Amino acid sequence: EEEMLSNLKMLGEKIKQRIGDINSWPEIEFNDSDIKELLKIDNSYEIYRSSILKKISGGNHCIIPSQYLLYAIVIKEFAMALKDYINIFNLLKEKMNSSELYDMIHANNFNSEFINHLDEFSKKNFFKPFNDEEFRLKAKSIFNKKDNEWITRGDFFESFVLKLINVPDASSGILGDFIHLLTIHEEQYKYFEKKYLKLLPSICKSNVIKDFIKNIIEFLKQYDDLEKLKPFIIQNDVERLFSVKMDVHSLTSIFRLSKTLLTEKDMLQGDKVRYFEDPLFLDNDYYYYLSTEWTNEKQSRLDLQTFKAILEKLYPEFIIETNNGTFIFKSCGGRSVIKKEFNNVEFTRELELSNLKYSPEITKCLLSSLLTKLNFPR
């Protein structure tokens, strides 16, 4: 099943704010496992301890700092959403020349098998990044005129992504290209995300609980497609309403499902708006709308502690914290230093070369104590 196309303007503004909240980008030290995955992305890379050398045509090269990988991890939710648009655009491009494609997109013409099969929300959004400068956050147009003919640009993805990241133009093209490569190699993208999220001080934060919960669910949708949460989403007695129930905890009527997009009237209960305007995602042909008024098992509205208990049990790699009224969602360890892989054989060899007097028993005790203190698996 194809993913629902996201509202790139709203998502981009959210990610841009998230990046702006981070003021420290620690260096990564690549180990053998990292190097193996990086070479799957581009086997021409020369990989050093904390940087990558990329060869460029004409005998030139550039150095990619390891921090670029952290930028890519923060922006992954947006990058993968943008790639969904690009994939459809490229299918259209195979069927017509650039001028025909330009005319079709700027006329919002749905007369194509690749657009007709899209869900209602995706159809509503598909043309916008290609013909609305505000929607694409003033990134370059995908079309460019040359010799009175329309041609398509090859750097549209990079231009759009770089509108969210606060790096100087001189180095931005390399970063955009690196992120684009990661979206093509999704397995490696997921590998680095799961490994290095803990280097970032937070994933998202907000002062408003309902917005905070929405951001977390949107993040988890791209993180693992809500694989751990979905088994606990249960239908209420009211057909269209669904809750999350796990053990003694409940998020009652947190989702409303609909085969079609909800109207303004559908979202109202009395005179109050009860759902976010845009659906969270599409699953089995149903749009999932997030409630702004869900309750816990004790009928307490928007109870963060219940959500936190469910989240941290299903996703122990993440935690929710509160700091001076700000709700923070982050990977366990926050800005902690990455645990380096420990090599027992190398340690013993270095010990022998040090000319220290030791015995196998002393070495064993020393290693056991060291690994316990550092919390390494033995």
Side-chain angles (χ1 to χ4, degrees), residues 8 11-13 15-16 19 68 71-83 86 135-140 155-167 172-183 189:
L8 291 180
L11 179 57
E13 288 170 345
I15 299 296
K16 188 172 184 177
I19 291 171
Y68 276 14
Y71 280 121
I73 290 168
V74 176
I75 209 170
K76 179 172 177 277
E77 185 179 346
F78 179 87
M80 297 307 300
L82 176 56
K83 180 172 176 282
I86 300 296
F135 191 86
R136 64 174 180 264
L137 306 180
K138 299 187 182 297
K140 295 175 183 176
D155 61 349
F156 175 74
F157 179 97
E158 290 82 351
S159 173
F160 203 157
V161 162
L162 293 168
K163 286 298 177 182
L164 314 184
I165 305 176
N166 48 351
V167 296
S172 61
I174 300 300
L175 172 56
D177 182 58
F178 182 59
I179 294 172
H180 188 207
L181 269 176
L182 284 166
T183 66
Y189 211 163

Side-chain angles (χ1 to χ4, degrees), residues 20-32:
D21 288 340
I22 299 173
N23 53 26
S24 176
W25 300 89
E27 192 174 70
I28 292 172
E29 289 190 11
F30 298 126
N31 60 26
D32 289 344

Side-chain angles (χ1 to χ4, degrees), residues 164-363:
L164 314 184
I165 305 176
N166 48 351
V167 296
D169 290 342
S171 61
S172 61
I174 300 300
L175 172 56
D177 182 58
F178 182 59
I179 294 172
H180 188 207
L181 269 176
L182 284 166
T183 66
I184 295 169
H185 296 82
E186 292 186 43
E187 186 178 336
Q188 283 66 49
Y189 211 163
K190 290 177 181 177
Y191 166 86
F192 287 114
E193 177 186 36
K194 291 185 176 181
K195 182 165 185 180
Y196 290 119
L197 262 176
K198 62 186 174 183
L199 281 185
L200 300 171
S202 67
I203 295 168
C204 63
K205 57 177 70 174
S206 178
N207 298 320
V208 181
I209 289 180
K210 61 184 180 181
D211 294 339
F212 182 60
I213 300 304
K214 179 175 181 286
N215 288 341
I216 292 175
I217 295 175
E218 287 174 337
F219 168 80
L220 293 175
K221 180 66 173 68
Q222 69 82 31
Y223 179 75
D224 75 341
D225 197 31
L226 296 174
E227 181 182 334
K228 297 178 183 177
L229 184 64
K230 281 180 179 177
F232 300 96
I233 299 176
I234 299 168
Q235 185 175 330
N236 292 8
D237 293 334
V238 179
E239 183 180 356
R240 65 182 182 274
L241 300 181
F242 282 68
S243 302
V244 174
K245 294 183 183 292
M246 191 186 73
D247 301 333
V248 299
H249 301 295
S250 174
L251 305 173
T252 305
S253 301
I254 190 169
F255 297 118
R256 176 172 174 174
L257 274 63
S258 175
K259 281 275 191 179
T260 59
L261 293 178
L262 295 183
T263 64
E264 288 185 23
K265 184 178 178 181
D266 293 331
M267 296 183 186
L268 293 176
Q269 186 174 331
D271 293 327
K272 193 168 186 180
V273 177
R274 298 289 183 174
Y275 301 94
F276 284 94
E277 180 181 356
D278 287 349
L280 277 175
F281 56 88
L282 182 72
D283 189 61
N284 291 325
D285 296 325
Y286 280 92
Y287 290 110
Y288 279 66
Y289 282 86
L290 179 65
S291 170
T292 58
E293 294 286 326
W294 48 267
T295 61
N296 67 2
E297 63 279 0
K298 297 178 181 177
Q299 300 303 306
S300 175
R301 293 190 185 279
L302 299 176
D303 174 45
L304 183 60
Q305 291 307 310
T306 300
F307 183 87
K308 172 180 166 72
I310 293 173
L311 175 91
E312 292 182 0
K313 184 163 186 178
L314 294 178
Y315 294 90
E317 65 267 41
F318 300 113
I319 56 173
I320 290 175
E321 295 179 348
T322 304
N323 185 8
N324 295 325
T326 298
F327 310 114
I328 303 167
F329 174 60
K330 65 181 185 179
S331 174
C332 291
R335 291 173 56 191
S336 62
V337 176
I338 298 171
K339 296 174 183 177
K340 296 181 69 174
E341 294 177 353
F342 193 86
N343 189 319
N344 193 343
V345 175
E346 182 68 16
F347 178 85
T348 303
R349 188 180 72 82
E350 293 292 334
L351 196 60
E352 289 174 347
L353 293 174
S354 70
N355 293 321
L356 290 174
K357 292 183 179 180
Y358 74 100
S359 68
E361 289 76 19
I362 292 175
T363 303

